[in-house]
Amino acid sequence: MTGENQTPEATGQVADAVKDNWVDRLAPSAARPYLRLSRADRPIGTWLLLLPCWWGLLLSMIHDGQMSWHDLWIFVGCGIGAFLMRGAGCTWNDITDRHIDGSVARTASRPIPSGQVSVKQALAWLVAQALIAFCILITFNWASIALGVLSLLPVAVYPFAKRFTWWPQVFLGIAFNWGALLAWTAHSGKLELPAVILYLAGISWTLFYDTIYAHQDAEDDALIGVKSTARLFGEQSPAWLLRFLILAVILQVFAVIMAVVGASPIALLLALCGSWAFGWHMHWQLQRFDPNDDDVLLRLFRSNRDAGLIPLPFFAIALFV
């Protein structure tokens, strides 16, 4: 059987992985199930975890009007930590959801339900990723270390949220945007109000993009009794997405104003342009939203990497103005 004719089940590939991703092409065969467990073949989650970290770091630097070589390490450390903790979180999610995943077409090919990795092997992999991430965390200040340890609570709770609430995306947002708090504090040594507002903006953004994502599984989720905002909103999803868009932009604007107000007017204008462009991209997504087209839904969800990247050059330039 040629590689072109093999099914995802035969090759171990995950159904919704990025086509021709580096894991399937380059990773050693023994490592592939573990990397797939960590979603290394689907990097969008790492980006969505990382980008609020970089928002928080840059705005904290603008707020203080200071930068150091350690900030470069915070920038790099957040990148490595996001990859590791996203992997650990996804591993934990797949352990807790292994019975549900086997009943959903999009997730049945994941390593645990497909039999590529046992639960014990997955637990060992989870611990290994978390320990390496902790080694990075302890190079930061004590306040950010405490925040990093505290972040384990929402990470642990999130996989169970869809069993008891129609709003599991809120729990995902709480976990995925924690980096805005942590990176701000890693630079400044203290948690301040602009970081909290930025964190809330990130949660609103998560409600936006993960509601889009959840529409892919709405029918399967209804059959097995799993809750989501996609199921809750139904045909009203576009109206709710617009609300989340507006809230995310307003909150980010407030965070920017509070963080940058002490800098020059040009710096403030630049940073606000970044937030406006962020909102424009979300509006672009909303105009193309089609709850009945899974390909469109996945493409829009993945495009949020670009949405989250858009403010960064504006923030970075504002730092030097």
Side-chain angles (χ1 to χ4, degrees):
M1 179 180 290
T2 64
E4 288 77 13
N5 294 325
Q6 287 179 308
T7 64
E9 291 76 11
T11 61
Q13 296 172 348
V14 178
D16 59 351
V18 176
K19 186 178 180 182
D20 295 325
N21 64 81
W22 74 271
V23 173
D24 294 339
R25 290 186 295 105
L26 302 174
S29 57
R32 288 175 189 170
Y34 296 95
L35 292 170
R36 290 167 182 152
L37 196 60
S38 297
R39 309 288 199 274
D41 54 348
R42 283 157 287 169
I44 179 61
T46 298
W47 281 109
L48 296 176
L49 186 62
L50 172 60
L51 290 168
C53 301
W54 285 350
W55 294 351
L57 175 60
L58 285 171
L59 288 181
S60 182
M61 293 166 68
I62 297 172
H63 185 64
D64 285 354
Q66 299 176 359
M67 66 184 77
S68 68
W69 285 108
H70 187 61
D71 292 319
L72 178 60
W73 167 241
I74 295 172
F75 185 89
V76 173
C78 284
I80 301 170
F83 177 82
L84 291 166
M85 287 309 298
R86 190 260 183 144
C90 289
T91 302
W92 173 241
N93 185 79
D94 282 11
I95 290 170
T96 60
D97 281 359
R98 60 191 183 277
H99 302 301
I100 294 175
D101 285 345
S103 304
V104 177
R106 186 178 59 83
T107 58
S109 56
R110 288 179 177 174
I112 296 178
S114 65
Q116 299 175 59
V117 176
S118 70
V119 174
K120 287 184 178 179
Q121 289 171 321
L123 283 169
W125 180 238
L126 185 159
V127 172
Q129 294 172 97
L131 285 176
I132 299 172
F134 183 71
C135 290
I136 295 172
L137 179 65
I138 60 176
T139 67
F140 298 166
N141 56 47
W142 283 107
S144 54
I145 292 172
L147 280 170
V149 173
L150 187 61
S151 72
L152 296 177
L153 181 60
V155 171
V157 171
Y158 166 66
F160 302 100
K162 55 182 169 287
R163 295 166 169 82
F164 63 80
T165 177
W166 287 101
W167 293 81
Q169 281 68 27
V170 171
F171 288 84
L172 181 67
I174 291 171
F176 253 58
N177 295 280
W178 200 271
L181 307 176
L182 195 153
W184 178 290
T185 306
H187 167 79
S188 69
K190 57 187 175 181
L191 182 60
E192 298 174 280
L193 183 58
V196 176
I197 302 300
L198 185 66
Y199 176 58
L200 296 175
I203 293 174
S204 301
W205 179 40
T206 301
L207 280 163
F208 178 86
Y209 66 65
D210 207 60
T211 296
I212 292 174
Y213 184 79
H215 269 281
Q216 297 174 93
D217 298 330
E219 292 184 6
D220 287 334
D221 287 349
L223 291 173
I224 60 180
V226 169
K227 298 178 174 67
S228 72
T229 49
R231 288 190 60 208
L232 176 65
F233 302 152
E235 294 181 357
Q236 296 301 312
S237 285
W240 279 97
L241 291 173
L242 179 60
R243 293 180 185 117
F244 297 144
L245 184 165
I246 293 171
L247 186 59
V249 174
I250 288 175
L251 288 170
Q252 191 179 98
V253 164
F254 276 128
V256 164
I257 291 172
M258 286 187 286
V260 187
V261 68
S264 71
I266 296 176
L268 179 59
L269 179 61
L270 279 168
L272 289 174
C273 285
S275 296
W276 174 85
F278 167 68
W280 174 87
H281 193 287
M282 293 173 70
H283 184 259
W284 173 87
Q285 293 179 56
L286 182 57
Q287 289 181 311
R288 287 154 181 79
F289 173 72
D290 182 351
N292 300 309
D293 190 327
D294 287 353
D295 290 337
V296 169
L297 293 170
L298 185 57
R299 186 163 61 250
L300 291 177
F301 169 72
R302 288 175 175 167
S303 75
N304 280 280
R305 180 204 63 175
D306 300 334
L309 282 169
I310 285 173
L312 292 177
F314 292 92
F315 295 171
I317 296 170
L319 177 62
F320 294 98
V321 171

